Amino acid sequence: MDWLIDLFAQQDSVAHIALLYSLVIAIGVLLGKVKIGGISLGVTFVLFVGILAGHIGFTAPLPIMNFLQDFGLILFVFMIGLQVGPGFFESFGKGGLKLNMLATLGVLLNIGVMFACYFIFFDTSDPKNLPMMVGTLYGAVTNTPGLGAASEALHSVFPNGFNFNIASAYACAYPLGVLGIIGASLAVKYFFHVDFKEENEKMMEKESADPHVKPHVMYLKVANTYIAGRTLSQISEFLNRDIVCTRILHEGKLSVPRRDTKFEMGDEVLVACAESDAEAIQAFIGPTIDDHWVESPTAQQMVSRKVIVTNTAMNGKSLGKMHFSSLYGVNITRITRQGMELFASRSHHFHVGDRITVVGPEENVNRVAEMMGNQERKLNMPNIATIFIGIIVGIIFGSLPFSIPGMPVPLRLGLAGGPLIIAILVGRFGYRMGLNTYMTTSANMMLREFGLVLFLASVGIKAGDGFWQTVVAGDGLKYVGTGFLITVIPILIVAIIAYKKFHFGYFTIMGMIAGTYTDPPALAYANSVCLGESSAIGYSTVYPLSMFLRIFTAQIIVLFCCGV
């Protein structure tokens, strides 16, 4: 049995370190799946198992834990940035701008309540209290990357070490933070007398009536004399709307129209457009008709096929500049990206992973499919080089010092902020540098969760030694109480503004709150009571900016306030 004792006792052995992390992560993940009242803590339970392991002395050499913690953090935030990058800038369009403004207000209110609690409940002369309140803040908003960014910034401010561990305060505030987000959302429901059934009905009505990007297909007969003799390009310009004409029946002959194809009176055309434009286009061209000619023998020569963009050379190319109708005799009618169906406007830029609907003669469609790649197995190949090139640039960018008057040390974005910003930029503009940034959702989630559990396990094990003293003999109960205030107060304020001033639906608000707090359990609860996509849309709209602000403000608070 000596070999088994040595395995657990020899802290500097590779086998011991691998065993330690494997046990902490496996037990933490399994316990995190246990639901109490329909709510689970998820992968964050790894932190609590790590604290227990550190408390009983089951630990590893500090330099190795520091490396695994920092590498896990880098991998975690980079994969987040790569995922949110493509939609980061687009999230500010239309209603997204208001939702992101509300999310930003929520982030600032969290920080404001944190400082208020610090000045009211804690001794401001004690240098450890403000950093510990930062840990409480990120436990209260259930944001682990923010904890990592704050910890990393503290090492910049205190290069010789410090005698406190903000992970203890984070762990104290986290459980009630998860409950507080859902509880505050329910409080808003009762405050405004929201009925879930009624709200679902209103939401479904609104979603079905929102036609701005939803594709619409119709068969029309040319009945406007103004159109006679004019080309498809001229008609599209006159309408000032995106319109795709996939087929035209002229004098009994069916063909795929090009930009220079002329319309004549009596022609029958198959048109695809945004649903919101359908009425105006129909009024201009002519009445709708039955699609009887689709069944004609000539029509059987035409095919409609889904093609997957897997050729990296197509990355970033716009639909309008590809001249599909004039060069290849086909039309692109729809584009599906990450499960969302989009109208194929001429300004659309292709990304690897897009699924496009191509209509035209079979031979021509096959040529376009070959050009676009259309090899699904290529999507399953991980782009490892892109990840590590991005990490290299992110670390260098995060290490650049920015000197600001009055600050004790130069400002650095660090190992969290640098890779995050670079990942967002690579995810959005990487194609311009020849980088293939496509990654399946499962691959992204795997790498992200792997980095997260390494980080949480390391933080927990390191915090375990002094955790009991912090909770029982220290200010543990204060961290729990102030964390609850940090969680709840901003939600109530932001939700009231969103509901009363901006008239957002309740489910959209629930999703927005979950996204602002980057809290999947809250989103899961919102989705369980919402029959449509409003909660998910609210969450995904504000999540990119919220995650960025959580990580960035963590470092700003530490560098500006804790270093003074």
Side-chain angles (χ1 to χ4, degrees):
M1 291 294 291
D2 289 344
W3 65 271
L4 187 58
I5 295 172
D6 290 342
L7 187 60
F8 282 88
Q10 293 179 358
Q11 295 185 2
D12 57 348
S13 73
V14 174
H16 170 88
I17 297 166
L19 181 66
L20 166 63
Y21 274 82
S22 297
L23 282 171
V24 168
I25 292 170
I27 295 172
V29 170
L30 291 174
L31 290 177
K33 294 180 179 179
V34 177
K35 291 186 178 181
I36 301 175
I39 300 170
S40 65
L41 293 183
V43 73
T44 308
F45 217 106
V46 172
L47 174 69
F48 297 99
V49 177
I51 288 173
L52 178 61
H55 180 68
I56 64 176
F58 189 25
T59 182
L62 187 60
I64 292 177
M65 289 194 293
N66 285 338
F67 163 73
L68 291 174
Q69 175 183 322
D70 290 342
F71 180 71
L73 176 65
I74 291 170
L75 193 59
F76 178 51
V77 298
F78 188 84
M79 298 316 298
I80 287 175
L82 207 59
Q83 182 194 34
V84 305
F88 184 79
F89 299 99
E90 284 79 0
S91 67
F92 297 100
K94 294 189 177 180
L97 181 59
K98 292 179 182 178
L99 285 174
N100 276 292
M101 287 172 58
L102 290 167
T104 302
L105 175 62
V107 172
L108 296 177
L109 285 172
N110 288 134
I111 296 171
V113 175
M114 183 271 289
F115 275 109
C117 291
Y118 166 67
F119 286 110
I120 295 171
F121 299 111
F122 291 88
D123 180 7
T124 56
S125 63
D126 188 339
K128 77 174 178 63
N129 280 336
L130 184 54
M132 293 298 280
M133 280 303 294
V134 174
T136 304
L137 166 66
Y138 285 95
V141 299
T142 68
N143 186 265
T144 308
L147 171 68
S151 298
E152 205 262 327
L154 281 170
H155 284 287
S156 299
V157 176
F158 302 100
N160 298 321
F162 42 87
N163 61 350
F164 51 86
N165 197 316
I166 65 173
S168 298
Y170 174 92
C172 289
Y174 188 93
L176 212 55
V178 174
L179 296 174
I181 295 169
I182 297 173
S185 299
L186 290 175
V188 174
K189 169 186 180 292
Y190 291 110
F191 184 76
F192 289 117
H193 306 290
V194 174
D195 180 82
F196 280 162
K197 184 180 178 182
E198 226 174 83
E199 195 71 17
N200 270 309
E201 289 174 356
K202 283 195 297 185
M203 176 203 62
M204 296 303 284
E205 263 180 46
K206 187 175 179 181
E207 285 185 357
S208 62
D210 184 12
H212 294 291
V213 295
K214 187 177 177 182
H216 180 75
V217 176
M218 54 187 172
Y219 296 85
L220 304 176
K221 186 170 185 175
V222 178
N224 184 352
T225 54
Y226 177 81
I227 291 178
R230 298 186 184 272
T231 64
L232 176 60
S233 177
Q234 291 173 323
I235 294 168
S236 181
E237 286 176 11
F238 182 83
L239 282 167
N240 196 27
R241 290 173 169 87
D242 283 314
I243 175 175
V244 177
C245 186
T246 60
R247 305 176 204 179
I248 182 170
L249 185 66
H250 176 69
E251 296 181 351
K253 183 180 178 182
L254 186 67
S255 63
V256 175
R258 302 183 179 185
R259 300 289 293 173
D260 58 354
T261 297
K262 292 182 179 180
F263 283 24
E264 301 294 345
M265 292 291 290
D267 285 352
E268 296 177 5
V269 292
L270 174 58
V271 170
C273 62
E275 194 175 81
S276 57
D277 295 333
E279 188 176 346
I281 292 171
Q282 182 267 326
F284 181 72
I285 294 177
T288 57
I289 57 174
D290 294 332
D291 53 344
H292 59 277
W293 47 267
V294 173
E295 303 301 328
S296 68
T298 311
Q300 300 305 313
Q301 300 173 14
M302 315 294 292
V303 297
S304 175
R305 183 174 299 165
K306 288 280 188 182
V307 172
I308 307 171
V309 181
T310 59
N311 183 1
T312 55
M314 294 297 108
N315 243 339
K317 291 193 174 181
S318 68
L319 176 59
K321 292 182 179 179
M322 295 295 292
H323 305 296
F324 283 106
S325 61
S326 57
L327 294 179
Y328 300 96
V330 301
N331 281 308
I332 310 297
T333 59
R334 295 182 185 87
I335 297 164
T336 304
R337 177 178 293 170
Q338 295 180 346
M340 184 180 296
E341 194 174 67
L342 308 170
F343 172 65
S345 67
R346 290 176 57 78
S347 60
H348 174 85
H349 288 82
F350 291 113
H351 285 253
V352 170
D354 285 354
R355 296 175 185 267
I356 62 176
T357 301
V358 185
V359 178
E362 185 170 9
E363 184 181 346
N364 295 10
V365 170
N366 290 338
R367 288 171 57 204
V368 171
E370 185 179 351
M371 180 182 66
M372 304 305 283
N374 201 35
Q375 298 180 24
E376 191 165 5
R377 60 184 177 82
K378 282 189 175 183
L379 297 181
N380 297 324
M381 299 295 291
N383 298 299
I384 297 295
T386 297
I387 296 172
F388 284 98
I389 289 172
I391 287 176
I392 291 168
V393 178
I395 292 173
I396 295 173
F397 181 63
S399 301
L400 290 175
F402 300 95
S403 297
I404 298 177
M407 286 190 62
V409 292
L411 172 65
R412 289 181 173 86
L413 294 175
L415 297 178
L420 176 70
I421 292 175
I422 295 301
I424 290 174
L425 295 176
V426 167
R428 178 62 182 85
F429 303 108
Y431 65 85
R432 296 185 179 178
M433 297 171 281
L435 295 176
N436 184 2
T437 60
Y438 177 82
M439 183 174 294
T440 62
T441 303
S442 58
N444 184 292
M445 288 295 294
M446 179 67 186
L447 289 173
R448 186 203 306 186
E449 293 297 291
F450 181 71
L452 177 59
V453 294
L454 284 181
F455 171 78
L456 289 173
S458 302
V459 169
I461 295 167
K462 288 163 61 177
D465 186 36
F467 181 74
W468 186 252
Q469 184 179 1
T470 299
V471 174
V472 177
D475 295 320
L477 292 178
K478 280 188 180 180
Y479 299 144
V480 173
T482 54
F484 183 73
L485 296 177
I486 293 169
T487 301
V488 171
I489 293 175
I491 290 177
L492 298 177
I493 295 173
V494 170
I496 290 171
I497 295 173
Y499 196 84
K500 283 294 188 183
K501 181 174 177 57
F502 294 107
H503 306 293
F504 282 111
Y506 176 73
F507 293 126
T508 301
I509 295 172
M510 285 186 74
M512 182 265 293
I513 290 171
T516 302
Y517 282 69
T518 63
D519 187 58
L523 176 63
Y525 176 77
N527 284 338
S528 70
V529 295
C530 175
L531 299 180
E533 300 296 324
S534 291
S535 296
I537 291 171
Y539 181 91
S540 60
T541 300
V542 303
Y543 179 88
L545 179 64
S546 298
M547 181 62 77
F548 172 77
L549 289 176
R550 294 293 184 194
I551 293 173
F552 188 69
T553 54
Q555 298 192 315
I556 295 297
I557 294 169
V558 171
L559 294 175
F560 272 88
C561 302
C562 300
V564 176

